[in-house]
Amino acid sequence: MKQHRRMSSGFLIVVSGVGCALLARHEAMSQNLRQGPGNENRTTLRSEFKMDVRDGYRYISSNGIPNHATGQFPNANNPNSIRAQSYSYRVTLHPVPAAAATRLPKVFGVAVNGVPYDPSTAEAWNGNFQWRYEALSGFFSSQGGLGVDTSLAHVQPNGAYHYHGLPFALLEKLDYRHKPALIGFAADGFPIYGNYGYSNSENANSPIRVLKSSYRLKSGSRPGGQNSPGGAYDGSFAQDYEYVKGAGDLDEFNGRTGVTPEYPAGTYYYVITDTFPFVSRQFRGTPDATFLREGGPGRGGPGGPGGPGGQFGGPGGQQFGRPGSQFGPPPGFIPSDGLPQYLNLTAAQSADLTKLEKAVNALRNSRFALRAFADLKLTKGQISRLATGEKLSTVLTADQQSIVQQNQMPAFGPPGGPQGFGPPPGGQPGFGPPPGGP
């Protein structure tokens, strides 16, 4: 038996069999949202969300418009307006733990209103993804440059509104302080809940309290040298944190096993917390391929540094940066550390890719404008030598060295300089944190 329902909020949910219980849950949620307080910043776009439960999967599609009030967009730190998207995801109804953890490939999951959870940034110190910048703590949060609203969400240049952390405007409608609130599904199929849960995970009659992450800031300072930004562990990078078993309520995936209103017999579920990792950066199960493909939320904003017409690159901008980004990649960009899995590369191909990345970083460190990379016509042997750390002067021919000299990037000032200039220590144009956020 299959049921089709359209709610007055603009949602269409199609369910069959075991999906009926979730249908009732969604209807109650929609009613709560309609009765919530108004907000002058509510988008005038209509939220569209569809869930079809069939053949062992939950098919989710949406236009990415939240069914709650948002912050003002554009705003002083985010130049983008919310626009409708076209999302289509699939998650299994029967998730199981995988043999090994899978790192976040792109979007972690999707909320029950169709808005993606996209917690990571695509930016790294000096292009080194061993040091990936963190969106909601450390440098970015201290600069106030993300432009996030009270739901810890902001808008990308393609108009994609997405959550970096707890979606408070959604949670406030769900009585989330008095019962576990189902707020989404991860790419591997496990449900996502707000940060309140039962004190005893197996007892629905136990008191409700805030669930805490087990991640903590590392003590001391980051390693020095050319391959590290140095400085104290302050939360600027995801790598500033470490999992400490038993330090909180949750495991290394920011989740736990227990009963919930939707799963009275118990299930494994993720929790979005008010501290790192906020939204989990790895999966306990296997993410569906629909979350790996191109087309998810992009990063940055037009007119900003690194965006279209911006100072640090992108279409119409100066020399550097990844096209279409404020200081992150365009929609559909797959971070370099996820490319081997995304492209299903062999071990040999993955090794070649790693060498190429190291060679590119060596050129980048010399302030070479990568727009002219193809002009160098590097041989495979030269790429391997640069990857091992040989100096450019000993690897490149005289003609290639001339190309490098003719395509030099200007030097930019340190943090504290004019707004839009001066990436963080070790950062480069297109890779630092100018206003607008990841």
Side-chain angles (χ1 to χ4, degrees):
M1 172 177 151
K2 182 177 286 188
Q3 299 182 21
H4 297 255
R5 301 280 191 91
R6 183 174 295 278
M7 305 176 188
S8 61
S9 62
F11 290 93
L12 172 65
I13 296 183
V14 186
V15 294
S16 59
V18 296
C20 292
L22 282 175
L23 170 63
R25 170 73 168 171
H26 280 286
E27 288 188 354
M29 178 190 309
S30 179
Q31 180 66 25
N32 286 340
L33 287 168
R34 292 196 301 273
Q35 294 175 350
N39 187 299
E40 67 275 15
N41 295 330
R42 179 180 294 276
T43 176
T44 58
L45 296 173
R46 183 178 179 85
S47 177
E48 296 179 2
F49 174 88
K50 178 181 176 181
M51 181 174 68
D52 182 0
V53 179
R54 56 184 167 82
D55 302 327
Y57 290 95
R58 192 184 315 278
Y59 294 87
I60 300 171
S61 60
S62 81
N63 66 351
I65 302 301
N67 58 349
H68 60 69
T70 71
Q72 184 65 53
F73 296 101
N75 60 47
N77 293 311
N78 188 291
N80 308 311
S81 298
I82 299 174
R83 297 197 298 273
Q85 307 296 305
S86 180
Y87 297 132
S88 181
Y89 300 116
R90 182 188 73 171
V91 298
T92 179
L93 292 174
H94 308 290
V96 294
T102 302
R103 302 298 298 181
L104 184 65
K106 189 171 179 59
V107 175
F108 178 74
V110 59
V112 292
N113 59 6
V115 175
Y117 291 106
D118 185 16
S120 295
T121 72
E123 287 312 314
W125 173 84
N126 253 7
N128 180 355
F129 279 88
Q130 293 299 313
W131 297 101
R132 186 189 294 271
Y133 282 106
E134 181 55 33
L136 297 181
S137 65
F139 183 90
F140 284 158
S141 63
S142 68
Q143 297 300 305
L146 287 172
V148 296
D149 63 12
T150 56
S151 290
L152 301 182
H154 66 174
V155 186
Q156 303 300 357
N158 66 344
Y161 181 87
H162 67 284
Y163 301 123
H164 276 272
L166 283 163
F168 286 106
L170 178 61
L171 285 164
E172 287 293 346
K173 314 301 180 181
L174 303 180
D175 197 26
Y176 78 105
R177 295 182 182 88
H178 299 99
K179 60 183 177 181
L182 176 66
I183 56 175
F185 295 94
D188 61 6
F190 287 112
I192 303 171
Y193 281 80
N195 63 332
Y196 279 75
Y198 300 123
S199 298
N200 180 340
S201 63
E202 301 297 335
N203 183 359
N205 294 317
S206 61
I208 291 288
R209 63 177 176 83
V210 174
L211 301 178
K212 294 295 184 181
S213 162
S214 295
Y215 282 83
R216 299 293 183 266
L217 274 176
K218 297 175 182 177
S219 60
S221 298
R222 307 180 192 100
Q226 294 183 344
N227 296 320
S228 168
Y233 293 113
D234 63 356
S236 291
F237 302 93
Q239 291 78 5
D240 286 356
Y241 295 91
E242 62 184 349
Y243 172 69
V244 180
K245 186 176 181 179
D249 304 296
L250 308 174
D251 62 15
E252 64 268 36
F253 303 97
N254 223 39
R256 69 175 188 170
T257 298
V259 298
T260 71
E262 293 75 24
Y263 299 90
T267 184
Y268 182 84
Y269 62 93
Y270 298 103
V271 176
I272 298 184
T273 50
D274 55 8
T275 59
F276 185 88
F278 306 101
V279 180
S280 180
R281 312 306 167 84
Q282 56 183 335
F283 296 98
R284 191 180 186 208
T286 302
D288 192 84
T290 56
F291 288 80
L292 299 174
R293 67 189 180 195
E294 300 181 11
R299 303 187 187 279
Q311 295 171 325
F312 295 156
Q318 299 176 16
Q319 299 190 50
F320 205 90
R322 283 169 251 185
S325 69
Q326 184 151 1
F327 58 97
F333 177 83
I334 303 299
S336 61
D337 52 351
L339 272 175
Q341 178 183 359
Y342 181 75
L343 299 176
N344 196 27
L345 300 183
T346 65
Q349 290 171 327
S350 181
D352 286 341
L353 178 63
T354 300
K355 290 178 183 178
L356 179 59
E357 290 172 348
K358 290 181 178 179
V360 168
N361 280 336
L363 290 163
R364 180 185 295 137
N365 290 338
S366 71
R367 301 216 318 267
F368 174 63
L370 294 183
R371 63 179 183 179
F373 179 79
D375 295 339
L376 292 176
K377 299 179 181 178
L378 295 174
T379 66
K380 188 173 182 179
Q382 286 179 311
I383 290 173
S384 295
R385 291 171 63 189
L386 289 174
T388 62
E390 280 195 54
K391 295 181 179 180
L392 296 182
S393 59
T394 64
V395 174
L396 303 184
T397 66
D399 288 342
Q400 288 172 326
Q401 292 184 46
S402 177
I403 292 173
V404 170
Q405 292 302 316
Q406 293 170 13
N407 291 275
Q408 286 287 292
M409 286 297 302
F412 290 84
Q419 190 177 50
F421 294 86
Q428 295 206 8
F431 288 85

